[in-house]
Amino acid sequence: MSETAKIILDGKEYELPVITGTENEKAIDISNLRSMSGYITLDTGYKNTGATTSAITFLDGEKGILHYRGYSIEELAEKASFTEVAYLLLDGELPTQKQLEDFNNEIKIHTLVNEDLQNIFKSFPTGSHPMGQLISMMSALSAYYPKSLDPNRSDEQKRRTMLRLIAKMPTLCAMIYKKRTGHPFIYPNNKLDYVSNFLNMTFKHVSDEYEVDPVYVDAMNKLLILHADHEQNCSASTVRLVGSSHASLYASIAAGVAALWGPLHGGANQQVLEMLEQIKADGGDVAKFINKAKDKNDPFRLMGFGHRVYKNFDPRAKIIKKACDDVLNKLGINDPILEIAKKLEEVALKDSYFVERKLYPNVDFYSGIIYRAMGFPTDMFTVMFALGRLPGWIAQWKEMTKEGQPIGRPRQIYTGNNLRPFVEINKR
Ligand code: SDX
């Protein structure tokens, strides 16, 4: 006997189906509510509304649980490589050794970007924000692959576009970094693995040899895995919504990058570092900034704290915090910013304002400290988030298109003027 929910509207009882997920999450299916009753539901910010079913990522905000395709984020971060996790997100199963080798080789075929894209970089003002550049480059890629403009052209074309994006994103992210420094671009080196190739394109100087540090490679793999997907977050929902209009995958990903840029979302990792630097410059008085964050009249917020879903520790933050200690110790870096972050966390987690609101450190709170230790400038942090999140966005888009979901088009409740006659301008 399937479960149902009953509601009474204008004295009439309606029975709606209840659906249960594989982790026993429950939802009232309101797909037919309006046709049955004329009513819609209202949930600004979608805090209680599911947009889709999905088999990609499961998270439990109360318990601080995160699984990709059923595998725990703790195990994946510890034991897998980033392209292995990308394969898992896209295809639903962990690859065999041969499948992973083939996948890595398929990616290597597409690591180069068209030389003409360098001209676009020349048009960006020096110092322009890397995320603005990345949005443009994601969209610009579609200009070179006109067959990709029809996302439903063929499965083979879809897969090629997915591989091109995964292969070219590191190349473009490294070019964005080189644009900042004014140094020549470094071409992909397909003898290197995915992460090592990205670090080489980023940090190698055209006139010098460059040895990729295994500490960086391990930290980078971990960080990219931890950012790879997070179910229906703001940017993934944006990718799905844009993709539901049958715009190209490049356009959908460009939209996802744009959504991620916001300081309440992926842009928070840049804001966290700037906040920690502000606290350090102000003398390190953590209590002063905790009070500012609590003051409703003060716009200051504790960036990297709080989460729409996690009302317990963000499991990614725990892993990144430990990786922070490991990486800085291995690199022999004693970063006072890390000490300020730890002090901030310690004081906040004892403060009733944060405890009552279940505000814990999220994925963005510690990630920037590692990026900085590796040499990335603060305004590149969200680009790194996008590099990690790309396979998740693609997996969400692939699932949505495979299911043939309809164009996303939410309803509203109108609160404007009722019908009124036009008034000639000389009578207003
Ligand atoms: C990411 O969704 C995802 O999955 C996102 C992400 C992913 O992997 O894709 O996990 C990545 O975006 C992480 C979040 C990064 N953003 C930040 O760190 C920015 C700082 N955090 C906040 O802006 C906030 O916590 C949000 C945006 C993350 C969540 O906001 P909600 O769910 O809309 O909650 P809210 O703003 O309504 O806050 C509830 C209360 C409010 O106080 P009251 O009105 O109840 O008195 O908590 C307060 C807020 O003022 N609050 C904070 C706070 N976050 C919430 N107060 C001080 N500092 C904060 N950081």
Side-chain angles (χ1 to χ4, degrees):
M1 175 71 177
S2 57
E3 268 185 272
T4 61
K6 290 179 183 169
I7 51 171
I8 296 170
L9 299 167
D10 302 328
K12 192 176 171 198
E13 183 177 286
Y14 298 90
E15 198 163 3
L16 298 167
V18 168
I19 62 170
T20 304
T22 49
E23 291 283 350
N24 293 319
E25 296 167 303
K26 295 199 179 280
I28 302 168
D29 182 343
I30 58 167
S31 308
N32 299 314
L33 177 64
R34 190 169 183 276
S35 58
M36 287 160 64
S37 69
Y39 279 64
I40 64 166
T41 57
L42 185 63
D43 182 20
T44 306
Y46 310 111
K47 294 193 175 189
N48 305 282
T49 297
T52 184
T53 57
S54 176
I56 300 169
T57 292
F58 169 70
L59 59 91
D60 180 322
E62 281 65 35
K63 296 178 186 154
I65 290 172
L66 175 58
H67 298 164
Y68 295 159
R69 301 285 190 183
Y71 295 97
S72 78
I73 193 65
E74 291 81 6
E75 282 209 278
L76 292 169
E78 196 53 44
K79 300 172 182 171
S81 69
F82 177 58
T83 53
E84 196 173 1
V85 169
Y87 184 103
L88 170 68
L89 288 169
L90 288 175
D91 291 4
E93 296 298 335
L94 285 169
T96 62
Q97 185 69 47
K98 172 137 183 10
Q99 286 170 329
L100 183 57
E101 281 167 13
D102 291 347
F103 185 58
N104 286 331
N105 290 333
E106 281 183 292
I107 289 171
K108 288 182 177 184
I109 295 167
H110 299 289
T111 49
L112 267 178
V113 296
N114 190 300
E115 289 284 287
D116 290 351
L117 277 172
Q118 296 192 20
N119 298 326
I120 301 180
F121 277 106
K122 289 189 182 110
S123 65
F124 292 133
T126 302
S128 54
H129 199 287
M131 283 298 278
Q133 295 180 37
L134 186 58
I135 297 166
S136 313
M137 301 318 277
M138 288 293 100
S139 181
L141 281 175
S142 64
Y144 297 86
Y145 307 106
K147 288 181 186 166
S148 70
L149 296 182
D150 172 5
N152 304 312
R153 189 184 186 89
S154 71
D155 286 346
E156 190 256 339
Q157 179 62 41
K158 267 184 199 174
R159 181 164 176 78
R160 192 174 302 129
T161 302
M162 293 176 199
L163 288 167
R164 279 179 171 143
L165 272 161
I166 293 173
K168 297 178 193 305
M169 180 71 118
T171 308
L172 290 167
C173 292
M175 292 171 82
I176 289 170
Y177 177 84
K178 289 298 187 195
K179 163 75 187 179
R180 288 182 94 267
T181 59
H183 291 167
F185 299 131
I186 298 296
Y187 284 90
N189 173 351
N190 285 335
K191 293 191 182 69
L192 300 173
D193 64 70
Y194 189 87
V195 168
S196 301
N197 181 38
F198 167 63
L199 293 170
N200 188 64
M201 290 188 288
T202 303
F203 295 121
K204 179 181 177 350
H205 288 270
V206 64
S207 49
D208 301 335
E209 287 309 308
Y210 176 74
E211 192 68 33
V212 179
D213 185 332
V215 173
Y216 283 26
V217 176
D218 179 58
M220 199 77 247
N221 257 302
K222 210 177 283 283
L223 282 164
L224 295 177
I225 288 167
L226 291 167
H227 285 85
D229 191 58
H230 214 239
E231 53 130 284
Q232 305 311 312
N233 57 84
C234 177
S235 53
S237 300
T238 302
V239 169
R240 277 181 172 255
L241 194 59
V242 171
S244 73
S245 73
H246 293 188
S248 77
L249 178 54
Y250 292 114
S252 305
I253 296 299
V257 176
L260 187 74
W261 194 359
L264 296 187
H265 189 15
N269 57 14
Q270 172 178 346
Q271 303 284 325
V272 168
L273 242 294
E274 289 169 2
M275 171 187 75
L276 294 171
E277 292 283 10
Q278 180 190 0
I279 296 171
K280 179 172 170 251
D282 186 78
D285 181 354
V286 163
K288 172 182 168 186
F289 285 86
I290 291 279
N291 290 329
K292 281 171 65 66
K294 291 158 58 176
D295 179 355
K296 290 298 173 201
N297 300 315
D298 189 326
F300 178 83
R301 282 285 171 272
L302 210 50
M303 300 313 278
F305 255 76
H307 197 277
R308 170 58 56 76
V309 177
Y310 287 124
K311 301 308 172 190
N312 194 324
F313 247 93
D314 181 333
R316 302 166 296 176
K318 279 185 187 172
I319 298 169
I320 294 175
K321 181 180 177 182
K322 183 179 178 309
C324 248
D325 282 328
D326 296 349
V327 170
L328 269 62
N329 289 339
K330 284 176 187 168
L331 298 177
I333 296 172
N334 177 22
D335 187 347
I337 289 288
L338 176 58
E339 295 320 307
I340 291 176
K342 287 182 177 176
K343 185 74 183 151
L344 207 53
E345 176 189 342
E346 183 194 334
V347 173
L349 295 187
K350 289 179 189 148
D351 184 295
S352 60
Y353 172 93
F354 294 89
V355 172
E356 283 159 15
R357 292 168 179 80
K358 299 182 179 177
L359 303 176
Y360 292 88
N362 60 49
V363 67
D364 293 310
F365 191 62
Y366 286 103
S367 53
I369 297 170
I370 301 183
Y371 291 140
R372 190 167 95 135
M374 290 199 273
F376 290 102
T378 309
D379 66 2
M380 281 286 293
F381 291 177
T382 312
V383 167
M384 310 307 296
F385 193 141
L387 180 59
R389 184 54 53 90
L390 181 64
W393 285 332
I394 296 174
Q396 296 286 344
W397 178 89
K398 181 182 176 186
E399 183 176 72
M400 186 248 332
T401 50
K402 198 170 175 184
E403 290 171 0
Q405 291 191 5
I407 185 168
R409 201 268 183 229
R411 293 274 181 163
Q412 64 160 32
I413 293 296
Y414 176 70
T415 55
N417 289 297
N418 298 112
L419 179 65
R420 49 183 173 161
F422 185 79
V423 177
E424 299 305 328
I425 193 162
N426 57 7
K427 292 179 183 145
R428 288 175 203 162

